Amino acid sequence: GAGVSQSPSNKVTEKGKDVELRCDPISGHTALYWYRQSLGQGLEFLIYFQGNSAPDKSGLPSDRFSAERTGGSVSTLTIQRTQQEDSAVYLCASSLQGAGAGELFFGEGSRLTVL
Amino acid sequence: AQSVTQLDSHVSVSEGTPVLLRCNYSSSYSPSLFWYVQHPNKGLQLLLKYTSAATLVKGINGFEAEFKKSETSFHLTKPSAHMSDAAEYFCVVSRMNTGFQKLVFGTGTRLLVSP
């Protein structure tokens, strides 16, 4: 596709349920990032994938959070046993290489509401 | 450690007047700095970036920013605001993290433009 695609755009779930958020990056982009944006907060780094290398998971807030990237393309962020504090917008971004001087291209995000 | 501080959570201007969004950074080495913009219900978009070349950086939509090492600042400016500039703006610094450069976002400044 032309840009980074995320689904679902909105997800409402009950506390304790598991959720999966999907990211389809720009074709050919080897780097993929997940960020979390909570109300009134900046973007919080969660996880980074680069090619076939082991992901950098240093930003995941707890072991309830996990992510995978299949075939170097589509990524899924999974949150198990959701809590109310998980409510946020989850943003995915991709780039041609690990960002630094490079530009990240962001999707429109998945808004998660945990009741 | 690298970090950015956006000094104003909200800035209000009238259409046609200058815009100034303030950002101070902290970095233990020469940083890469960025400004991203987020329009309502849209993904983040890169406005401009500084990577140790010219200290005055020009971006899209008439925005520019000046890197001032002595003041550790990277303020975003535009001579004349347009209604379409109303959005959230994020100052971003890049830092090394276990083999890749991770973007660290400020908490954002919401720009309001009145007719």
Side-chain angles (χ1 to χ4, degrees):
Chain A
V4 177
S5 177
Q6 292 188 246
S7 62
S9 55
N10 278 286
K11 176 72 176 179
V12 180
T13 191
E14 294 180 345
K15 178 181 173 181
K17 301 283 189 182
D18 297 352
V19 296
E20 284 190 352
L21 307 177
R22 175 190 167 105
C23 173
D24 203 339
I26 293 173
S27 178
H29 281 192
T30 58
L32 187 147
Y33 299 75
W34 283 98
Y35 280 83
R36 178 167 71 175
Q37 185 176 24
S38 302
L39 189 64
Q41 304 289 320
L43 273 70
E44 175 189 5
F45 167 77
L46 297 178
I47 189 169
Y48 163 76
F49 295 89
Q50 172 59 37
N52 296 320
S53 302
D56 185 304
K57 305 178 182 180
S58 59
L60 295 179
S62 77
D63 59 8
R64 297 187 295 104
F65 288 72
S66 63
E68 62 178 21
R69 188 179 185 191
T70 54
S73 180
V74 172
S75 177
T76 302
L77 177 69
T78 302
I79 309 172
Q80 295 178 309
R81 306 181 301 281
T82 53
Q83 304 294 312
Q84 288 183 333
E85 61 263 29
D86 299 335
S87 296
V89 177
Y90 290 82
L91 294 168
C92 177
S94 69
S95 70
L96 282 171
Q97 58 190 3
E103 175 180 357
L104 265 60
F105 293 83
F106 283 84
E108 296 186 1
S110 293
R111 182 178 297 277
L112 174 65
T113 302
V114 182
L115 302 177
Chain B
Q2 281 69 44
S3 65
V4 289
T5 301
Q6 292 186 244
L7 300 165
D8 307 294
S9 59
H10 292 81
V11 169
S12 294
V13 299
S14 298
E15 190 174 22
T17 64
V19 175
L20 170 64
L21 305 183
R22 298 182 294 166
C23 173
N24 286 98
Y25 70 90
S26 172
S27 178
S28 54
Y29 59 91
S30 184
S32 293
L33 293 160
F34 309 78
W35 277 96
Y36 276 80
V37 60
Q38 185 178 33
H39 287 92
N41 301 315
K42 297 290 185 184
L44 281 88
Q45 179 184 19
L46 180 67
L47 266 182
L48 50 80
K49 63 183 179 184
Y50 166 78
T51 55
S52 77
T55 56
L56 181 62
V57 182
K58 294 186 184 299
I60 61 172
N61 300 334
F63 283 93
E64 61 182 38
E66 186 172 7
F67 174 73
K68 291 187 176 180
K69 186 175 181 180
S70 60
E71 298 177 9
T72 61
S73 69
F74 191 58
H75 301 334
L76 182 70
T77 60
K78 182 173 180 178
S80 176
H82 192 273
M83 295 296 291
S84 61
D85 294 329
E88 185 113 25
Y89 292 80
F90 293 92
C91 183
V92 183
V93 66
S94 168
R95 72 172 178 91
M96 287 301 298
N97 182 70
T98 60
F100 78 100
Q101 288 186 308
K102 187 168 77 178
L103 299 187
V104 177
F105 285 75
T107 52
T109 298
R110 183 166 298 278
L111 177 64
L112 306 170
V113 183
S114 57

